[in-house]
Amino acid sequence: MYEGIHHVSLLVKDIEKSKHFYGKILGFQESELRPDFDFPGVWYQVGSTQIHLIVHNEGKTLRGTRTIDSRDGHFAIRVWNIEKFIERMREYKVEILNKPTNQTDWHQVFVSDPDGNLIEFNR
């Protein structure tokens, strides 16, 4: 019945700072499919899933911290080469929580975006 996750929406405060993080640092490809909504935002295509960044000052889902806690709410993105990903994060001086060995069968690396949204990258 289910085909997969279509998109994940995240609240952000500063769209330009977020575009720098998701587009330049993470290297996500910006989608041109986003309609001309009456609020700022951007869409990224990541494999067959989209990431929607939305500026919504009255939103309630911002964590209020950039502390990386792997047990807090997050979503995960599978990468082809985790070492290359770690190297890229170090190049851009992005703080990571590196968990090469854990209870799962995959190497996990957690990052926080400028607004505290957590993302796990794994292989």
Side-chain angles (χ1 to χ4, degrees), residues 87-103:
E87 183 180 305
R88 183 180 182 100
M89 293 304 97
R90 289 186 176 142
E91 175 184 330
Y92 284 102
K93 297 178 177 34
V94 173
E95 180 183 353
I96 67 171
L97 174 58
N98 189 11
K99 299 177 87 175
T101 56
N102 55 74
Q103 299 290 56

Side-chain angles (χ1 to χ4, degrees), residues 14-33:
D14 182 327
I15 197 64
E16 293 308 317
K17 189 183 285 188
S18 294
K19 285 176 79 169
H20 175 76
F21 181 78
Y22 284 88
K24 173 81 172 171
I25 295 174
L26 294 181
F28 289 174
Q29 182 175 352
E30 189 171 335
S31 171
E32 295 182 15
L33 299 176

Side-chain angles (χ1 to χ4, degrees), residues 10-13 39-40 54-62:
L10 302 172
L11 295 187
V12 299
K13 294 180 181 178
F39 54 89
I54 299 170
V55 177
H56 179 49
N57 294 327
E58 291 78 38
K60 307 292 187 261
T61 60
L62 289 172

